Amino acid sequence: MAYLSLAKIRRRKKRDGASYWLLPLLLVVLFIAILLSLGIGGVSIPPLASAGHFLSYLGLTHSDLQPQEILILEAVRLPRTALGLAIGMALGLSGAVMQSLFRNPLADPGLIGVSSGAALAVVCVIVLGDSLFASFLEATSSYSLPLAAFAGSLATTALVYNLARRQGATDVAVMLLMGIAVNAIVGSFIGLLTYIADDSELRSLTFWSMGSLSGAGEATWPSIGIMLFASLLLLRLSGPLNLFLLGETEAKHLGVATEGIKRQAALAAACATGAAVAAAGMIGFIGLIAPHLARLIGGADNRFVLPAAALIGALLIILADTIARIVVLPAELPIGLVTSFIGGPFFFALLFREFRKRRA
Amino acid sequence: MTLSVKDVSVVIGATTLLQNVTLDLIPGQFLGILGPNGAGKSTFLKVLSGELSPSHGTVTLDGIPLKVWKDEALARRRAVMPQASQLAFPFSARAVVAMGRWPYETLSSSFQNHRVIERAMAIADIRHLGKRSYPVLSGGEKQRVQLARALAQSFGTEDETDSKYLLLDEPTAGLDIAHQHAVLKAARDQSKNYGTASMAVLHDLNQAALYCDQVALISNGRLVASGATAEVMEPARLSRIFGCTIKRQAQQVKEALSFTSSL
């Protein structure tokens, strides 16, 4: 009898528990996607050959690649892939965390204007940096863009969070309208700055407003570091963030130090988004799509959703970047265009579902 | 060993929501809070739960001010069932109940957690809803899930000796009559069997008379009377507070009091 009931409990626990087993599966899919993406481009490298090449460093296999292929793989594609992974992870996680923080499934760093805030700060530093922020640039050197992006995203998060809140919950309409307002303001500023920018500044403006991974390399290492650090911080908050979904008061009654968690989550998410924008410009919709796909496959428990959103975000960026690189060979599309192209209809579908639910 | 409110006033802006209220929640007793709309009942509950700090006076648990308590330690002593809780994400009803075990994450085995959750769900009569998604439940079903969550929190662990406090904010609102009785019985059983100090904001005089050991009457932010149910619930006093005629008759069957009201 005792054995029977124990077995029953174990079975039930498995059924109730989050679908953690999907995480290793996602990891495997991500690895396959990375190998495929590394092989696709002007010079194509078979996925198995590049896998063999990497394993040769461990002395497990023998590398069959030509020196030229190795150069393309290691100097061009690998840094790009690494940057893409960090950005996808950071954006997916930030989206999942912001949705929990706002208690609202439609929150996304791009939609609510956090990415735009970061981009505006970056663009200001690029165009006006020499004349207005010279001492700032000097003092911060290679960290100046990530820092500016961080300040921009943090300021926007604080603004939207405080203005869209009514009695502990955020009002969807207000939040999205705030995002529209912020995006419009940023758009006009970027337009203005485009008008006064010179040629080289203009190119980097396009880069920042449409997003691209082509800046991958040493210059983006500080940003990658910040994204990894912020992501680790965010992952640690998954348990308390679950209780946040019940409501801030309820979370406090259950023993969560809500003010501290809120501050940590908002800071780390702003940090991650800011660093992503600083390294690759505005890449929209990843923060919206990744958490939704995670919930779709494994339920709403944040202890699953957060790591899954990080993996799915990384996967989406790798896929989008591969598409961006190959559709207009030998040139490449800005990756932000690709994600918006896919994300826009996805957002539509989400809105429709929300409205249907509300009518039912 | 009590949750004590001493000379508490709450003033927000120019409005006084509570004025000089002094009351103890006694372990083993089920206290009903009665009073007209806007009298300050929910404010009083917020003060007790620590959600609202009083403008004047002190709230202490075991002699220590609530503000000094760590959120997590406090969560192991008192549970709150809110009036309404919205959740926009598709958690199962059982997962919501399981959130009540958060304060015991490191103290309680998963086997014990499982048993406590099952028991709480049985009491709230939601075992058949376990796998359903919380957002699509009806209002009354959501209320019962919240009750189970609060119960799972107040069950604590087996080797605890500290008294628990269970605060219910209008727990019967939106429930059918059978489940109204079930909720009140659950609160009374917690007090009787486990020495919990339960407290509920109620509107039905007969239910208060039937289930509560103690009653506190609040009107215009003041504590009008508190003490044993039969003594506090004087028809004249009730009529004055609620502004309508309330009569009392002793029921022969169960020795409980029953009230009729009219304008």
Side-chain angles (χ1 to χ4, degrees):
Chain A
M1 269 310 276
Y3 171 77
L4 260 181
S5 60
L6 251 178
K8 207 169 144 197
I9 285 162
R10 257 193 222 119
R11 228 179 19 246
R12 187 162 299 146
K13 217 179 146 223
K14 217 176 191 172
R15 209 165 50 211
D16 293 330
S19 323
Y20 296 111
W21 61 272
L22 283 169
L23 292 176
L25 192 71
L26 278 173
L27 205 59
V28 171
V29 173
L30 182 58
F31 263 110
I32 295 170
I34 290 171
L35 285 180
L36 285 173
S37 135
L38 283 173
I40 295 174
V43 175
S44 78
I45 304 166
L48 286 179
S50 42
H53 173 71
F54 292 127
L55 289 176
S56 74
Y57 284 111
L58 300 172
L60 295 176
T61 51
H62 189 74
S63 175
D64 300 326
L65 295 181
Q66 305 297 318
Q68 184 218 359
E69 290 176 323
I70 294 178
L71 189 72
I72 288 176
L73 194 63
E74 293 188 348
V76 181
R77 292 189 188 158
L78 205 55
R80 197 175 167 122
T81 302
L83 179 64
L85 287 176
I87 287 173
M89 197 172 72
L91 291 179
L93 264 173
S94 303
V97 168
M98 284 191 181
Q99 288 169 11
S100 300
L101 213 55
F102 284 91
R103 295 184 62 209
N104 193 319
L106 291 182
D108 164 77
L111 284 176
I112 62 173
V114 174
S115 300
S116 309
L120 180 61
V122 166
V123 167
C124 281
V125 170
I126 292 172
V127 179
L128 308 172
D130 297 332
S131 45
L132 293 180
F133 310 115
S135 56
F136 170 73
L137 282 181
E138 222 168 278
T140 52
S141 64
S142 67
Y143 288 91
S144 59
L145 290 186
L147 276 176
F150 170 60
S153 58
L154 192 64
T156 333
T157 308
L159 187 76
V160 175
Y161 189 79
N162 287 317
L163 288 183
R165 258 159 54 95
R166 302 262 157 87
Q167 293 153 0
T170 48
D171 189 320
V172 202
V174 177
M175 184 186 72
L176 292 177
L177 289 173
M178 291 283 304
I180 292 174
V182 172
N183 284 331
I185 294 169
V186 169
S188 70
F189 266 98
I190 291 182
L192 177 70
L193 292 169
T194 314
Y195 190 69
I196 61 171
D198 60 36
D199 265 359
S200 70
E201 286 169 354
L202 204 57
R203 207 166 309 129
S204 63
L205 282 191
T206 333
F207 170 89
W208 253 283
S209 52
M210 290 199 261
S212 169
L213 296 183
S214 61
E218 245 173 273
T220 58
W221 286 355
S223 296
I224 292 182
I226 294 173
M227 281 186 267
L228 289 179
F229 182 67
S231 296
L232 285 178
L233 274 179
L234 290 176
L235 277 175
R236 268 185 48 244
L237 300 178
S238 58
L241 280 176
N242 261 349
L243 307 185
F244 249 87
L245 296 177
L246 280 178
E248 225 175 291
T249 315
E250 283 79 358
K252 198 173 166 59
H253 287 161
L254 282 165
V256 177
T258 43
E259 285 306 314
I261 299 287
K262 222 161 56 182
R263 211 171 305 128
Q264 277 181 52
L267 268 174
C271 236
T273 310
V277 171
M282 283 199 282
I283 302 177
F285 292 105
I286 299 295
L288 182 73
I289 301 177
H292 271 94
L293 289 181
R295 284 192 203 100
L296 207 62
I297 61 171
D301 192 323
N302 272 331
R303 285 168 294 188
F304 166 77
V305 170
L306 259 55
L311 291 176
I312 294 174
L315 185 65
L316 289 174
I317 288 279
I318 296 295
L319 293 179
D321 183 50
T322 310
I323 295 173
R325 278 190 292 128
I326 58 173
V327 281
V328 289
L329 268 176
E332 64 172 74
L333 277 179
I335 187 174
L337 286 189
V338 179
T339 58
S340 301
F341 203 71
I342 303 167
F346 186 88
F347 184 48
F348 250 121
L350 274 183
L351 281 178
F352 270 122
R353 215 180 61 170
E354 281 289 307
F355 290 143
R356 256 217 318 274
K357 230 191 291 173
R358 229 170 270 183
R359 239 179 294 153
Chain B
M1 282 298 189
T2 51
L3 185 55
S4 303
V5 173
K6 220 170 254 151
D7 197 22
V8 157
S9 300
V10 175
V11 182
I12 291 178
T15 342
T16 304
L17 297 177
L18 278 183
Q19 207 171 348
N20 309 104
V21 174
T22 298
L23 191 70
D24 284 350
L25 253 62
I26 305 157
Q29 301 270 302
F30 181 17
L31 171 73
I33 305 283
L34 291 172
N37 294 143
K41 303 185 294 292
S42 289
T43 308
F44 181 61
L45 189 132
K46 281 181 187 161
V47 167
L48 272 175
S49 70
E51 186 185 339
L52 201 64
S53 344
S55 332
H56 180 261
T58 54
V59 189
T60 56
L61 175 56
D62 296 352
I64 301 162
L66 277 195
K67 260 186 275 176
V68 179
W69 281 82
K70 282 221 164 93
D71 287 317
E72 207 180 321
L74 195 58
R76 283 186 215 119
R77 297 294 300 281
R78 69 97 183 81
V80 183
M81 176 186 168
Q83 245 186 63
S85 194
Q86 294 303 320
L87 179 62
F89 296 82
F91 278 87
S92 70
R94 189 176 204 284
V96 174
V97 179
M99 288 179 187
R101 297 305 290 172
W102 174 260
Y104 308 97
E105 188 88 327
T106 51
L107 303 172
S108 174
S109 67
S110 65
F111 177 72
Q112 194 185 1
N113 276 342
H114 174 85
R115 273 187 24 195
V116 167
I117 291 167
E118 287 296 310
R119 207 169 99 212
M121 289 176 73
I123 293 174
D125 189 27
I126 52 162
R127 288 185 74 167
H128 58 293
L129 302 176
K131 273 187 277 173
R132 292 267 299 280
S133 175
Y134 181 85
V136 300
L137 296 177
S138 78
E141 288 169 335
K142 281 182 187 166
Q143 278 284 91
R144 275 145 61 199
V145 173
Q146 294 297 337
L147 171 73
R149 180 174 67 78
L151 285 175
Q153 187 183 351
S154 81
F155 282 156
T157 57
E158 267 158 16
D159 44 0
E160 270 177 312
T161 52
D162 290 336
S163 51
K164 301 270 184 181
Y165 297 84
L166 181 61
L167 314 178
L168 312 169
D169 197 358
E170 302 197 13
T172 52
L175 294 186
D176 60 55
I177 186 74
H179 286 114
Q180 289 186 20
H181 283 288
V183 167
L184 295 170
K185 183 176 176 298
R188 189 184 58 189
D189 287 352
Q190 278 303 106
S191 293
K192 260 202 188 128
N193 304 338
Y194 304 98
T196 301
S198 304
M199 190 203 93
V201 174
L202 296 174
H203 282 293
D204 189 312
L205 301 180
N206 289 309
Q207 286 177 345
L210 199 54
Y211 290 99
C212 297
D213 306 303
Q214 304 230 329
V215 163
L217 291 177
I218 295 183
S219 177
N220 284 326
R222 289 173 180 278
L223 183 67
V224 177
S226 70
T229 307
E231 288 161 28
V232 171
M233 294 182 75
E234 290 279 343
R237 190 186 275 150
L238 291 172
S239 301
R240 198 180 66 237
I241 288 176
F242 285 99
C244 67
T245 314
I246 294 171
K247 288 179 182 158
R248 176 166 83 178
Q249 49 213 168
Q251 230 173 24
Q252 283 148 5
V253 195
K254 288 186 82 182
E255 289 177 20
L257 303 167
S258 94
F259 295 84
T260 57
S261 52
S262 62
L263 275 175

